[in-house]
Amino acid sequence: KAFINKELDRIHTDFQILFCENPIVNAVISEYSSRAQLNGTEFTANIKMPYRLFCDEAEFCVMLSNLLENSFDAAKSYIKINIGYLNNQISVNIKNDYDGVLSKDEYGNYATTKSHGSGLGLKSVNLILKKNNGFLKINDENGVFDVFATMKNSPA
């Protein structure tokens, strides 16, 4: 939650694009869209989600930030994000192209190759998804990293 609050403080609302009506999620996506534009990375977003989240918004944004940060760090030329909502499930799909070799640990889990990374991003994402009856699926084929996450978003 502290991370999200810190990130939100850095965002300049004058430059925000309206990706969705949820202000916190919109702020996160706007931040990465701005960073991609400054980096010369194509950023495409198709966001269809409810204004109100029943799941913990801060946790959802931590998950989204972790996934977008990984994508931003690895993207060669583009990032595509789709968020959809159907039957009280929020689904997030993020794709980016990449160069280089992906690293996995002895259990087949992706390991960070970032010199400044802790390797906790995907572990954090998995914990948030499990807490919200969700799951994570990752594919990396033909130079495209494709992450799909879905979680429950319904009243308790």
Side-chain angles (χ1 to χ4, degrees):
K1 289 180 183 179
F3 171 77
I4 293 296
N5 287 330
K6 182 179 133 201
E7 289 298 306
L8 289 175
D9 288 342
R10 293 184 332 106
I11 294 171
H12 301 288
T13 55
D14 294 344
F15 300 106
Q16 272 192 6
I17 298 170
L18 185 62
F19 290 103
C20 69
E21 297 201 8
N22 182 289
I24 298 172
V25 173
N26 194 71
V28 170
I29 296 170
S30 294
E31 170 69 11
Y32 284 95
S33 172
S34 297
R35 288 174 61 186
Q37 184 177 10
L38 290 172
N39 197 45
T41 304
E42 179 185 342
F43 188 93
T44 307
N46 181 21
I47 313 301
K48 293 184 174 135
M49 62 177 292
Y51 170 79
R52 181 172 180 210
L53 294 181
F54 293 105
C55 61
D56 186 314
E57 280 186 342
E59 283 186 348
F60 180 81
C61 288
V62 165
M63 178 196 72
L64 184 60
S65 294
N66 278 323
L67 294 174
L68 283 168
E69 186 69 25
N70 287 346
S71 184
F72 180 80
D73 286 345
K76 182 170 85 171
S77 66
Y78 72 86
I79 298 169
K80 294 180 181 179
I81 177 172
N82 289 292
I83 299 178
Y85 182 71
L86 182 65
N87 298 329
N88 294 319
Q89 290 284 123
I90 298 177
S91 298
V92 177
N93 181 232
I94 302 174
K95 294 181 183 182
N96 63 272
D97 56 352
Y98 68 92
D99 274 334
V101 179
L102 299 174
S103 179
K104 293 185 179 182
D105 63 18
E106 64 270 17
Y107 305 106
N109 298 314
Y110 290 93
T112 187
T113 56
K114 303 175 200 171
S115 59
H116 65 280
S118 66
L120 297 176
L122 286 177
K123 290 176 185 169
S124 171
V125 167
N126 267 318
L127 288 173
I128 291 167
L129 291 171
K130 285 180 184 176
K131 178 181 174 188
N132 291 282
N133 300 310
F135 67 90
L136 180 68
K137 181 179 177 187
I138 302 173
N139 288 313
D140 62 276
E141 296 177 350
N142 303 319
V144 176
F145 199 77
D146 184 355
V147 176
F148 178 80
T150 188
M151 64 190 280
K152 187 176 179 181
N153 181 55
S154 59

